[in-house]
């Protein structure tokens, strides 16, 4: 058994329906933006200089 191999979804709706695919991409971008912003603020001493 290999852990982490393949899709974690039992039924990959995002693969077959554009609506669900877009929602998944939007969630992933929002997660990236949160982590990037937190890292950026930590490295810049709390000042936010980039806005999306």
């Amino acid at each position: 058994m290999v852990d982490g191999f393949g899709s974690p979804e039992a039924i990959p709706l995002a693969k077959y329906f554009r609506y669900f695919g877009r929602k998944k991409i939007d969630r992933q971008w929002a997660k990236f933006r949160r982590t990037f912003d937190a890292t950026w603020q930590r490295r810049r001493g709390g000042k936010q200089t980039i806005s999306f």
Side-chain angles (χ1 to χ4, degrees), residues 38-48:
T39 303
W40 185 263
Q41 286 184 5
R42 189 172 56 246
R43 291 185 182 189
R44 297 291 175 199
K47 293 183 268 181
Q48 183 177 7

Side-chain angles (χ1 to χ4, degrees), residues 6-52:
S7 176
E9 304 162 349
I11 302 171
L13 292 176
K15 186 175 180 179
Y16 300 109
F17 298 102
R18 183 176 293 217
Y19 173 79
F20 294 114
R22 177 61 54 193
K23 297 294 268 183
K24 184 175 182 177
I25 290 170
D26 289 344
R27 283 192 310 271
Q28 290 172 343
W29 270 111
K31 181 181 175 183
F32 169 76
R33 288 176 61 183
R34 283 192 307 269
T35 56
F36 179 82
D37 190 39
T39 303
W40 185 263
Q41 286 184 5
R42 189 172 56 246
R43 291 185 182 189
R44 297 291 175 199
K47 293 183 268 181
Q48 183 177 7
T49 56
I50 293 179
S51 62
F52 289 101

